Amino acid sequence: DSGVTQTPKHLITATGQRVTLRCSPRSGDLSVYWYQQSLDQGLQFLIQYYNGEERAKGNILERFSAQQFPDLHSELNLSSLELGDSALYFCASSVASGGTYEQYFGPGTRLTVT
Amino acid sequence: GESVGLHLPTLSVQEGDNSIINCAYSNSASDYFIWYKQESGKGPQFIIDIRSNMDKRQGQRVTVLLNKTVKHLSLQIAATQPGDSAVYFCAETLLPTDKLIFGTGTRLQVFP
C-alpha cells in the first residue's frame, strides 16, 4: 500500500459526460501528479500540482482539468468524454518538487467510456 | 484486472535465473532515470533510480546500468523470483522538473 488513495476504483460512463476522479496523497506529501495509462499510449504524464499550485503540464487535453485543494487532495475533471478517454488514471504523490523525490502511485481509477 | 497493453515485449525467465530488462530512452538531455514495477491491477512502484553522473547503481537484488552514449538503460534482477513477475517501465526526466516520461514497458514472466 503506497498510502495514496484514489476514488472511485471503477467508473463507467457514456460519451459526452463529465466525471471527477479524486486523489488523496500520502500524509505529508505536497506534490500530486496525474497520469493516464491507455493500451495504445502507455503511461503519460498529465499534470502536476504542488501545494495547491499548478507546477507542470504534460499532454493534458483542454477537456481535462485538475486542481489541488488546501487539504492537498486533488481532483481530475474529465469532460465531454470520448471513447478514447477510456484508460487507467493514476495519481501519484511526492513529498516535494523539483528534485529526485520518489513518486508514490495510487491504485488507479479505471474509466470506461461507452 | 489488466493494467497495461497486451502487446508488450515479454521476457520469460526461469526462477532463480538473472533477468535483464532493457530500455532506450528518448532525450539525450535527461539526467535522472527511474525503474518502476507494475503488477497487475496496481499502480507503478519505484524500484531504483540513477542520476546521469553515474553508470551503475545497485540495490537489493537489482542493478541499474546507464549508457548515455547510446541512451540505454538496463535493469538487472538477480535470482529472479515468481514475485518479480510484472511489467517494468523505465522513466526519464530532466531535473529539476518532475515530469516523468515513461518507456513502453516490458513484461517479465517467471516460470518455475
Side-chain angles (χ1 to χ4, degrees):
Chain A
D1 184 1
S2 66
V4 178
T5 60
Q6 290 186 248
T7 56
K9 192 175 174 70
H10 300 279
L11 198 48
I12 302 174
T13 189
T15 54
Q17 295 298 305
R18 172 189 170 93
V19 296
T20 298
L21 313 184
R22 183 188 168 100
C23 168
S24 292
R26 292 188 325 150
S27 177
D29 283 0
L30 297 178
S31 204
V32 169
Y33 312 78
W34 285 98
Y35 292 87
Q36 180 192 59
Q37 187 173 41
S38 60
L39 290 179
D40 57 347
Q41 298 274 353
L43 255 169
Q44 290 209 312
F45 168 79
L46 295 178
I47 197 163
Q48 176 198 4
Y49 279 81
Y50 176 73
N51 205 19
E53 301 288 328
E54 183 183 304
R55 179 59 63 99
K57 222 168 185 176
N59 297 324
I60 187 166
L61 299 172
E62 285 191 14
R63 300 184 286 109
F64 295 1
S65 65
Q67 53 185 327
Q68 186 180 27
F69 295 87
D71 67 352
L72 300 176
H73 91 272
S74 178
E75 292 181 356
L76 179 67
N77 300 296
L78 314 176
S79 61
S80 302
L81 285 167
E82 301 175 0
L83 295 177
D85 298 327
S86 295
L88 270 168
Y89 291 85
F90 288 104
C91 168
S93 73
S94 64
V95 64
S97 174
T100 57
Y101 301 105
E102 182 174 340
Q103 294 185 26
Y104 294 85
F105 282 75
T109 293
R110 181 176 292 280
L111 173 67
T112 303
V113 182
T114 62
Chain B
E2 188 64 49
S3 299
V4 295
L6 301 174
H7 304 294
L8 293 172
T10 299
L11 175 66
S12 296
V13 300
Q14 190 164 24
E15 182 178 355
D17 286 352
N18 296 333
S19 303
I20 300 176
I21 300 171
N22 296 304
C23 172
Y25 63 90
S26 60
N27 187 354
S28 57
S30 292
D31 54 8
Y32 180 54
F33 306 87
I34 310 156
W35 279 100
Y36 283 90
K37 172 186 180 182
Q38 187 176 22
E39 296 174 278
S40 184
K42 297 185 178 180
Q45 179 186 5
F46 174 95
I47 303 173
I48 191 168
D49 59 357
I50 188 168
R51 297 192 69 154
S52 59
N53 60 354
M54 302 173 69
D55 297 321
K56 179 179 179 179
R57 188 158 188 233
Q58 288 185 290
Q60 190 176 14
R61 272 200 316 117
V62 294
T63 300
V64 55
L65 298 178
L66 174 63
N67 184 332
K68 296 181 286 293
T69 303
V70 294
K71 296 193 293 183
H72 184 266
L73 201 61
S74 69
L75 177 70
Q76 300 178 0
I77 305 173
T80 313
Q81 303 168 0
D84 295 326
S85 294
V87 176
Y88 289 80
F89 293 95
C90 66
E92 60 185 292
T93 191
L94 178 59
L95 296 172
T97 74
D98 301 299
K99 176 182 169 181
L100 294 178
I101 299 171
F102 283 83
T104 52
T106 297
R107 187 183 306 278
L108 176 64
Q109 294 179 334
V110 183
F111 57 92

